[in-house]
Amino acid sequence: MIGTLRGTLLDRGDDEIIVEVGGIGYRLVVSPGTQISLGEVGAEVFVHVHHHYRDDDQTLYGFMSRDERACFEALISAHGVGPALGLAILSVHDPAALAGVLATEDVAALCLVPGVGKKTAARLLVELKEKLDLPTVDLTRGELSSIEPGSASELADVREALAGLGYSADEIQTAMKGLPSEGDAALLLKAALQRLAVAS
């Protein structure tokens, strides 16, 4: 079983890369975030690998960090979550953001992932809280410390309002990152819109 690869980035496609190690090219499926972080073709790269076995196929999935791989493995162990959906979730929520989503039980945040509805999101919240050992996986970094209990409904209202205004998942994630958890939804929405105005 392959756990990590260090080598030369030989080629890249929309959702996969080829890393050459000792004259052998390994094809790895990666998220858009990992694609961006790897650099240009010809660069030396180091990736953490999940070696996925199926009855008739084997696929390598590449990640920039051990935490991201651990999240992916927890996600695909949940009922009804395959590798494609697991990567989609990590493309919208990095490990630290996912920890915040779980801590605040933010169903709306999971619904930002294409293909995840409210029922699936609610089920994932329950399953992932059991499967992810947050201190061990070290998902408590980033903005999690600033999130207060009971703030999930206000943050969810802001996400729904932004989605209703036509903002994309990436734009909503940018607007919500580090957003103060205290205050009513109207003030939080105003702050989010100001961030989007500055970013545009």
Side-chain angles (χ1 to χ4, degrees), residues 61-135:
Y61 293 88
F63 306 94
M64 292 304 295
S65 70
R66 185 179 299 169
D67 289 353
E68 192 178 18
R69 182 181 64 187
C71 274
F72 176 78
E73 290 173 344
L75 285 166
I76 63 174
S77 70
H79 176 70
V81 179
L85 182 54
L87 275 185
I89 292 172
L90 285 176
S91 295
V92 176
H93 301 294
D94 64 19
L98 186 59
V101 169
L102 297 178
T104 58
E105 299 185 354
D106 194 345
V107 171
L110 279 180
C111 289
L112 292 175
V113 179
V116 175
K118 288 187 176 180
K119 289 183 179 179
T120 301
R123 175 175 55 77
L124 283 175
L125 284 176
V126 174
E127 287 197 43
L128 293 177
K129 275 191 170 184
E130 296 176 354
K131 293 178 181 295
L132 283 176
D133 184 353
L134 299 186

Side-chain angles (χ1 to χ4, degrees), residues 52-63:
H52 192 70
Y53 291 90
R54 287 182 293 186
D55 292 340
D56 57 349
D57 193 20
Q58 297 183 41
T59 306
L60 301 178
Y61 293 88
F63 306 94

